[in-house]
Amino acid sequence: MEYLILAVVIAVVAVGAIAGLVVSGRRRKQLPPQAEAPVITPPREPGIGEESAVPTPEPVKTVEEVTLPPAAPALEVPEPTAGRLVRLRGRLSRSQNSLGKGLLTLLSRERLDEDTWEEIEEILLTADVGVTPTQELVERLRTRVKVLGTRTPDELRALLHEELVALIGTEADRSLKTAKHEDGRPAVVLVVGVNGVGKTTTSGKLGRVLVADGRKVVLGAADTFRAAAADQLQTWGERVGAATVRGPEGGDPASVAFDAVKEGIAEGADTVLIDTAGRLHTKTGLMDELGKVKRVVEKHGPVDEVLLVLDATTGQNGLVQARVFAEVVDITGIVLTKLDGTAKGGIVIAVQRELGVPVKLIGLGEGADDLAPFEAGAFVDALIGD
Ligand SMILES: Nc1nc2c(ncn2[C@@H]2O[C@H](COP(=O)(O)OP(=O)(O)OP(=O)(O)O)[C@@H](O)[C@H]2O)c(=O)[nH]1
């Protein structure tokens, strides 16, 4: 009996074991196939010239509202300077009517008696030609008209043209020294004159003339008397992409001028154009201050041009001012402004005679490009017509 019980137990255990093996085999079959092991490639060694650090992904940026600065205004392209006087010749109409046409009418009279010559003289003096040049011109015209005998209008025009051009002079060097020096230093131009003659406007217009001629320009606002003058100059500069150096209102003009040249050197500019004051905050005289500005600027090197701005409408007053300025600084050229608003075009002749310095530029209006290089022939053409 005991054997029987033992046999039954063994049989049960055996059956249980077999059943367990079958079930576990089935289960094993149901397992999903093992996923393939990922291939891990070691990071590539950086090549020559590549970044050694492993690039980290850019942090994700969130969208955020920003106010963009207003777009810079487009730079203006100034008109070329060549031929400006011809383009602006109509602006000389007041001088043309009273000086040019007046002279031609008188010279065309059948009989040129003493009274007529006196009238001719009167016209020249009224147009501010000046006493000595007037006498010289009348003398030459008298002689040449006598030689000519009968006169056609064309002959008279040619004669007057020739004599006026000779009086203005064609020998003087009217070019502006605005090219960079060989050592890389920029040319320095000082713009001087009493207040209200148009210095700041002229500096701005001249900046445009230079930009039109391909120069890189830095402007110096050394007129620290009038804050608006510095603003005005800066606006002129911004229109054509020229930087402006300025100081505090009432500051030292010489120090602004010095800094402007320093900036011009640092920027590799061709020309530094310095607008000076016509009035001062300090008790120092205008002329003392101007002398100081020039001396301080010359610590960088000699000044290349000193342009005296004169208002053509002020006539003989302008000549008095010119003399005073000439004593303090060596004027190298004259700018006659507001010739569009006067019949006194003859001032060109008088002022050159007075100072022995050529008129280099003339202002013929308030427009940005209404400043023209002066040419004797084109000027006389405009006065007496072709
Ligand atoms: N019609 C005419 N007006 C001009 C000419 N040049 C300058 N002006 C005007 O003259 C006025 C005086 O010019 P500014 O440049 O401010 O004179 P400024 O000499 O710098 O004066 P301060 O800064 O006070 O010393 C302005 O209204 C200019 O527009 C010109 O050629 N023709």
Side-chain angles (χ1 to χ4, degrees), residues 8-280:
V8 169
V9 168
I10 290 168
V12 168
V13 169
V15 168
I18 289 164
L21 277 174
V22 169
V23 170
S24 80
R26 278 204 189 137
R27 276 207 191 126
R28 205 169 280 155
K29 275 189 196 148
Q30 282 166 358
L31 278 178
Q34 276 245 327
E36 264 186 38
V39 183
I40 298 166
T41 16
R44 194 174 67 82
E45 283 294 310
I48 295 168
E50 289 179 358
E51 292 284 340
S52 57
V54 180
T56 47
E58 287 266 308
V60 179
K61 285 182 184 154
T62 50
V63 178
E64 160 188 335
E65 293 244 339
V66 286
T67 323
L68 288 173
L75 291 186
E76 293 176 17
V77 180
E79 279 184 21
T81 50
R84 277 197 190 187
L85 186 48
V86 175
R87 175 178 67 80
L88 296 168
R89 55 182 293 163
R91 305 279 176 87
L92 284 164
S93 59
R94 292 182 66 185
S95 290
Q96 185 183 53
N97 287 330
S98 59
L99 180 61
K101 292 204 174 121
L103 288 178
L104 278 176
T105 311
L106 288 173
L107 288 168
S108 309
R109 280 190 187 163
E110 203 150 323
R111 278 196 61 238
L112 287 174
D113 54 17
E114 278 311 307
D115 285 351
T116 311
W117 286 114
E118 260 174 38
E119 278 182 69
I120 289 174
E121 229 176 77
E122 193 61 38
I123 283 189
L124 291 166
L125 289 173
T126 312
D128 267 346
V129 171
V131 178
T132 316
T134 294
Q135 286 166 351
E136 279 176 28
L137 182 62
V138 169
E139 210 46 53
R140 287 193 56 81
L141 288 174
R142 272 180 176 242
T143 316
R144 290 196 64 184
V145 165
K146 221 180 269 170
V147 172
L148 206 62
T150 47
R151 295 147 273 144
T152 66
D154 281 350
E155 281 170 333
L156 277 179
R157 179 172 280 113
L159 180 99
L160 189 59
H161 191 280
E162 221 174 276
E163 289 301 332
L164 283 172
V165 168
L167 205 58
I168 293 171
T170 49
E171 304 288 290
D173 179 7
R174 297 184 197 275
S175 64
L176 290 174
K177 286 167 196 61
T178 54
K180 201 189 251 192
H181 292 263
E182 272 179 13
D183 62 3
R185 199 172 54 87
V188 177
V189 180
L190 277 187
V191 179
V192 306
V194 299
N195 69 292
V197 290
K199 277 187 311 305
T200 306
T201 315
T202 297
S203 302
K205 288 179 183 173
L206 182 54
R208 292 175 70 90
V209 164
L210 298 176
V211 168
D213 289 344
R215 305 256 191 258
K216 181 174 182 182
V217 177
V218 169
L219 301 171
D223 180 355
T224 58
F225 181 87
R226 224 174 28 103
D231 293 342
Q232 216 176 308
L233 194 67
Q234 189 169 352
T235 306
W236 278 103
E238 280 167 357
R239 288 169 68 178
V240 288
T244 302
V245 174
R246 51 189 293 179
E249 189 180 350
D252 178 16
S255 115
V256 177
F258 181 87
D259 287 349
V261 180
K262 197 165 127 196
E263 172 81 7
I265 293 169
E267 281 206 15
D270 296 292
T271 320
V272 178
L273 199 59
I274 300 168
D275 178 28
T276 63
R279 271 169 298 178
L280 300 170

